[in-house]
Amino acid sequence: MLIAGNWKMNTAAGEARDLARAVASSVRDMETVDVAVCPPFVHLVEVSAELRGSHVRLGAQNMHSANAGAFTGEVSARMLKSVGCHYVIIGHSERRQYFGETDIGVNVKVRQALDHGLLPIVCVGELLEERQAGREKEVVSEQVRGALAGMDAIQPGSLVVAYEPVWAIGTGETATPATAQDMHRFVRSLLREVQGADSALILYGGSMKPGNARALLQQPDIDGGLIGGASLRADTFAAIVAAAAEEA
């Protein structure tokens, strides 16, 4: 199980330090679950320091596809690795929606992350209109295949996929456990086809909260959660980690 917190564009410096310290303390006895927090870029170094000595790992919310160069305002995989990042989120629905990220761009970033020893959390998921049109599996299939196109089999434990039903992010809506399990099972079958092995964790990323975490995490193909709003409080985040520990 992996529970990863995506803090998005939230927290000032002191708030980030306090939250990281509180998370590390709150989950210290839950070592059967892999835990990560992904703060904004500007807080990575300070959060890394707060996590030192705990089993909580550091992640970033995005990265550029190039190793270095004249890309003002961007951050490379090499930079992330140098400040202690273990994970990097790639292709989040908000990056696709607001910044025009494409499956081709996600593919290049995944390659770059793997080349630098980062563990990519690759996000896939459908919009409400795509689900209403019955195209949800077609959309997710295109995203998974695009993200991993042309790659040799990725080493076990070196890839995470997060299924985000976009219609459930920040809306208070959540896929039912049965709906989420159906898509997770489909993603797992795609990974077997594309990669030739079942070597990735598959997280649910659609408004997982303490109240619904256990029902979701009990599903056989749901291996954890990518947590947004509920990761901004140590107590709610720790409650989700505790639910995962019960199922681990």
Side-chain angles (χ1 to χ4, degrees), residues 7 11 19 22-23 26 210 227-240:
W7 296 0
T11 68
L19 179 56
V23 166
S26 299
I227 314 302
S231 70
L232 295 174
R233 285 180 46 181
D235 58 346
T236 56
F237 187 65
I240 296 172

Side-chain angles (χ1 to χ4, degrees), residues 4 36-38 41 44 58-64 75-77 80-81 85-92 109-114 116-123 158-160 226:
V37 295
C38 303
F41 289 140
L44 287 172
L58 185 67
Q61 298 176 19
N62 184 36
M63 53 169 268
H64 196 272
V75 174
S76 71
L80 297 180
K81 191 70 175 177
C85 284
H86 182 79
Y87 297 97
V88 59
I89 300 170
I90 297 177
H92 191 280
K109 288 185 179 184
V110 170
R111 293 170 183 268
Q112 185 77 346
L114 292 170
H116 286 82
L118 290 169
L119 205 162
I121 301 175
V122 181
C123 298
S158 297
L159 174 70
V160 177
L226 179 59

Side-chain angles (χ1 to χ4, degrees), residues 26-37:
S26 299
V27 303
R28 65 179 178 274
D29 297 324
M30 306 177 196
E31 295 189 3
T32 58
V33 179
D34 291 332
V35 181
V37 295

Side-chain angles (χ1 to χ4, degrees), residues 47-78:
V47 168
S48 179
E50 295 295 340
L51 299 179
R52 194 168 295 128
S54 77
H55 76 286
V56 181
R57 285 174 157 163
L58 185 67
Q61 298 176 19
N62 184 36
M63 53 169 268
H64 196 272
S65 58
N67 191 48
F71 302 104
T72 299
E74 293 293 329
V75 174
S76 71
R78 179 170 173 263

